Amino acid sequence: MTRQASLGITAFGAVIALCLLNVIRPCSASITVWYQEGQAPLHGTSTGTALSANYTGSAAYNPNTLDAPPPPGPAGLPTQFALQLSNTVPPGASIAQSGSFFGFSVEMSVVNQVCKSLLQVPFLNLMANIQQRAGRVVVRVGGNTQETAVLVDSTPDGRILEKDLSRISNPTQTPPLIFTPELLWMLRNISSLVNVRWHLGIPFNDTSNFRLGIAEQGQQILGDYLIGLQVGNEPDLYAAHGHRPMSYGPYDYFGEFGDLVEAMAGDEHVSNRGLLIGPNVNTGDWTPEMVWNTGFVDSYSSNLAYLAVEHYPTDNCFAQYGVGTPRDPQTIFPDFLNHTAGQMIIAPYLNSTAYAQTKGKPLLMFETNTASCGGFVGISDSFGAALWGLDYAMQMAYSNFSGALFHVGGQNVYYNPFTPPSTNQSTFRKWTIGPIYYSALVMAEAIGPSNNTQVIDLAANNNNVFSPAYAIYESGNLMRVLLFNYVTDSSGASNLSIDLTLSGGQNPRQVQVKYLQAPSVSQKGNFTWGGQTFGANFESDGRLSGTEDIQTVSCSVNGSGSTVCTISVPAPAAALVFLSSSALTETAGSESHTFPTTAETRTHNTVTVDPSLLATSNGHTGMGKRLGSTSVGSANAAETGALTRSSVGAMLAGALVGSMLVVGGTW
Ligand SMILES: *[C@@H]1O[C@H](CO)[C@@H](O)[C@H](O)[C@H]1NC(C)=O
Ligand SMILES: *[C@@H]1O[C@H](CO)[C@@H](O)[C@H](O)[C@H]1NC(C)=O
Ligand SMILES: *[C@@H]1O[C@H](CO)[C@@H](O)[C@H](O)[C@H]1NC(C)=O
Ligand SMILES: *[C@@H]1O[C@H](CO)[C@@H](O)[C@H](O)[C@H]1NC(C)=O
Ligand SMILES: *[C@@H]1O[C@H](CO)[C@@H](O)[C@H](O)[C@H]1NC(C)=O
Ligand SMILES: *[C@@H]1O[C@H](CO)[C@@H](O)[C@H](O)[C@H]1NC(C)=O
Ligand SMILES: *[C@@H]1O[C@H](CO)[C@@H](O)[C@H](O)[C@H]1NC(C)=O
Ligand SMILES: *[C@@H]1O[C@H](CO)[C@@H](O)[C@H](O)[C@H]1NC(C)=O
Ligand SMILES: *[C@@H]1O[C@H](CO)[C@@H](O)[C@H](O)[C@H]1NC(C)=O
Ligand SMILES: *[C@@H]1O[C@H](CO)[C@@H](O)[C@H](O)[C@H]1NC(C)=O
Ligand SMILES: *[C@@H]1O[C@H](CO)[C@@H](O)[C@H](O)[C@H]1NC(C)=O
């Protein structure tokens, strides 16, 4: 293990050095790959701040906090303003969006670490929370390790995924992954319980000898739950990473993509040839336009399900690996705490979202988060990141992206939406839920399940960067408004008081408000959404706990007959305003549904988990509908139960440790 880990460090040093030859670009996500698997290599040394020098545990649980930036004062943040809202969709609103916009990206090499835990109740609950609000959850399993992965019938030690260390010929090489169809079965089994839709990646390291097994078996096993197949992960970095000759350019990618299309056409086991995703550039040496200008989209239109890019706004490579530009988290914290942050990330893609529309293709942000190389202590794991992630994702929706996948790493990164305990802790520790998961949850509730939601950035408060706001329309009607206050100020002087002025058919006598809240942007854990929380480190079973708190605000009719509802937004917080009771019930109804589960562990004790574990959070709808009957292709209750039990059997037989879910009984 140690040898493997230190080998990883060497490999990474080299990869990062290569990566940094392209100075202007933050290191790509590739850099995080190695470190996400081990528990150990760089703990405590990896943050780059004096603060954390004494902390020796995993990054994911690092307790060190930063100072919140000081309030900008009344000149920087006028605290009273009005938002005029009409019931009809204004010009400039987004394309139709779906509630599953905000999804997750799991590096393939890490899926082992995370996946040991995937069939655990907490993971399923986390996915179910989003499904209840949005109807489905999108998860991508892939990344750089997909490129050299090999689907095999079985592995020497019976695991479903492992690194083929015998095939590393030099220290800078990532060992290829080998995985068995059981990995795909595991994903399928998850989708039988919760409506998770998957993106996978086709290995692209050898384009004269494609390995199409993941496409063949992925389609066979996952059926409609497989929604996309990525072709080439960050091909604009291939040359810099030594995976292609230095001359490799957009036309070479175009040609290789064509080779793949041809190979798939000749493969009778590939049933759906229209699931491909490209070009997945990380805004390196290639702009997306350079790929569009090859005629890529027209040439492969019938094969392309999605267009995609990947991007991190900055990187923490120096602190993690000693290469690149040193960045002090305290100094750059304010860069994440205003409306410009998301807008700046998206600006280079606005032409591409417009272009994608002209071609009738959805454009995805396929992998993103606060910073590559693991994120920043105190930023990526703070309440500020929850506001940042929510605003950034809403800004992407407004800007006509069609989805965004936030990256999930191992215990050595700061930005995880959720982190399972390491397997030897899984009998006494629970999961840790990070800020980005709260962003995902609120976004799902803001957009809702209709698939017909349009959002617009209201340029609120004279476009003040600390108080952005979005209006949310469903099927043409104004349903919800999302308000932000990025400022931390315990004095109350920076609380916002916002007059929502409604005209044109919307005359509610009262509206309801849910807050995403913490005392400071620098706080870690214990954030609340509608008064409920996933707690601090190691405290969550994937369900919100506490009593749901939905505020009711009365509205008045002003002299000109407009309805005015005054919403207070504390500093800091986000507030989701539901303009009608149906706007609330559709994503947050009162029905509560539970079904029985027990969890067994490999260790001596058989733990029986609270039978309502895979439950809804307090009072949300959807589980009944989905789990009872309507999951596409899912078996009936008896079959599903049996399937899950045998899946656990298989995993236990594979000598995996940790809690495994057994769903028993009926629901
Ligand atoms: C870290 O340890 C040093 C030496 O024991 C001590 O002086 C310092 O105050 C500690 N720093 C923190 C942040 O606890
Ligand atoms: C591609 O990856 C496979 C599996 O890891 C490996 O066997 C093969 O040699 C690689 N081919 C190239 C051209 O790198
Ligand atoms: C937008 O993208 C299209 C397609 O690549 C390109 O032709 C056009 O020049 C781009 N426009 C701008 C302003 O970059
Ligand atoms: C807002 O964020 C942007 C982008 O990160 C940053 O450049 C800018 O300095 C920030 N503005 C303030 C007032 O903090
Ligand atoms: C999003 O697409 C809509 C419909 O085409 C368009 O009106 C709007 O301007 C676009 N928004 C952005 C930010 O490009
Ligand atoms: C878990 O395993 C790690 C690595 O082997 C070890 O350092 C740690 O002490 C173990 N923790 C417990 C609680 O057994
Ligand atoms: C939303 O779109 C998904 C994917 O196409 C579909 O499965 C689902 O039924 C749609 N939901 C509604 C309410 O139309
Ligand atoms: C500001 O908001 C906080 C949090 O809701 C609240 O406790 C406080 O009373 C408010 N202060 C003022 C002056 O409105
Ligand atoms: C989070 O809440 C728990 C339980 O109430 C408490 O023990 C812990 O100190 C809190 N942590 C923070 C950072 O507020
Ligand atoms: C009522 O609200 C509308 C919309 O904000 C505004 O234009 C009008 O001046 C208000 N009338 C009064 C009497 O406050
Ligand atoms: C998933 O379900 C299939 C079909 O019942 C079963 O054969 C398999 O062992 C399960 N695999 C995993 C990894 O859960």
Side-chain angles (χ1 to χ4, degrees), residues 157-179:
D157 66 1
R159 294 192 200 185
I160 63 177
L161 175 130
E162 59 188 53
K163 285 180 280 296
D164 188 356
L165 293 170
S166 68
R167 303 184 72 162
I168 317 180
S169 48
N170 70 65
T172 61
Q173 241 174 25
T174 305
L177 295 175
I178 51 177
F179 67 102

Side-chain angles (χ1 to χ4, degrees), residues 255-616:
E256 292 183 341
F257 196 100
D259 295 340
L260 177 73
V261 167
E262 201 174 308
M264 289 178 87
D267 182 344
E268 56 179 341
H269 302 298
V270 175
S271 50
N272 186 345
R273 303 187 169 97
L275 290 181
L276 304 185
I277 305 173
N280 318 307
V281 289
N282 190 1
T283 348
D285 295 339
W286 312 356
T287 61
E289 282 83 354
M290 288 165 71
V291 182
W292 311 145
N293 294 346
T294 63
F296 174 77
V297 182
D298 287 335
S299 300
Y300 305 122
S301 188
S302 62
N303 307 101
L304 280 166
Y306 300 91
L307 309 178
V309 295
E310 304 182 9
H311 199 68
Y312 290 76
T314 183
D315 72 88
N316 192 24
C317 300
F318 184 84
Q320 290 279 16
Y321 313 119
V323 276
T325 309
R327 298 179 214 278
D328 172 43
Q330 184 64 65
T331 307
I332 64 170
F333 197 18
D335 294 353
F336 291 84
L337 298 174
N338 75 62
H339 191 45
T340 321
Q343 289 177 324
M344 282 175 66
I345 304 170
I346 295 163
Y349 301 111
L350 290 178
N351 186 42
S352 293
T353 60
Y355 173 79
Q357 279 189 64
T358 68
K359 300 295 178 186
K361 296 292 178 194
L363 177 69
L364 304 178
M365 177 61 77
F366 212 60
E367 184 182 316
T368 191
N369 212 313
T370 40
S372 61
C373 289
F376 293 98
V377 65
I379 296 177
S380 306
D381 47 4
S382 71
F383 181 65
L387 296 178
W388 170 87
L390 181 57
D391 187 15
Y392 170 35
M394 286 297 289
Q395 190 68 26
M396 280 191 270
Y398 161 63
S399 304
N400 301 317
F401 275 87
S402 290
L405 308 177
F406 283 69
H407 208 51
V408 183
Q411 305 198 342
N412 322 56
V413 305
Y414 300 107
Y415 56 50
N416 281 338
F418 40 79
T419 310
S422 59
T423 42
N424 65 350
Q425 297 180 316
S426 61
T427 51
F428 60 97
R429 295 278 206 201
K430 291 184 175 181
W431 287 43
T432 300
I433 311 305
I436 295 295
Y437 182 80
Y438 287 81
S439 312
L441 193 67
V442 178
M443 177 94 174
E445 207 160 319
I447 304 292
S450 73
N451 294 339
N452 197 10
T453 301
Q454 290 170 275
V455 304
I456 186 160
D457 183 334
L458 294 169
N461 203 7
N462 289 318
N463 223 356
N464 182 282
V465 297
F466 301 113
S467 57
Y470 296 87
I472 298 157
Y473 293 80
E474 265 186 280
S475 304
N477 296 309
L478 180 62
M479 296 293 267
R480 291 176 284 275
V481 181
L482 182 61
L483 309 166
F484 290 79
N485 187 347
Y486 273 110
V487 172
T488 297
D489 184 355
S490 59
S491 79
S494 303
N495 289 7
L496 302 176
S497 173
I498 305 174
D499 287 341
L500 299 186
T501 308
L502 309 165
S503 56
Q506 285 270 19
N507 300 303
R509 263 181 274 156
Q510 58 183 44
V511 296
Q512 287 170 301
V513 188
K514 286 178 77 174
Y515 290 102
L516 175 66
Q517 233 177 322
S520 162
V521 290
S522 63
Q523 176 156 315
K524 299 191 176 192
N526 290 355
F527 318 136
T528 55
W529 168 234
Q532 298 179 302
T533 185
F534 298 102
N537 289 346
F538 305 116
E539 285 190 350
S540 181
D541 62 16
R543 290 179 303 166
L544 285 163
S545 63
T547 307
E548 191 169 35
D549 176 16
I550 302 176
Q551 304 275 317
T552 298
V553 173
S554 300
C555 308
S556 58
V557 178
N558 85 353
S560 0
S562 296
T563 297
V564 181
C565 317
T566 304
I567 311 298
S568 148
V569 187
L576 184 59
V577 184
F578 300 85
L579 296 178
S580 66
S581 53
S582 66
L584 177 67
T585 50
E586 104 176 317
T587 57
S590 58
E591 184 191 346
S592 173
H593 187 94
T594 64
F595 65 93
T597 59
T598 46
E600 289 176 1
T601 68
R602 179 96 177 115
T603 49
H604 44 282
N605 289 327
T606 295
V607 180
T608 301
V609 176
D610 176 339
S612 63
L613 270 186
L614 186 48
T616 64

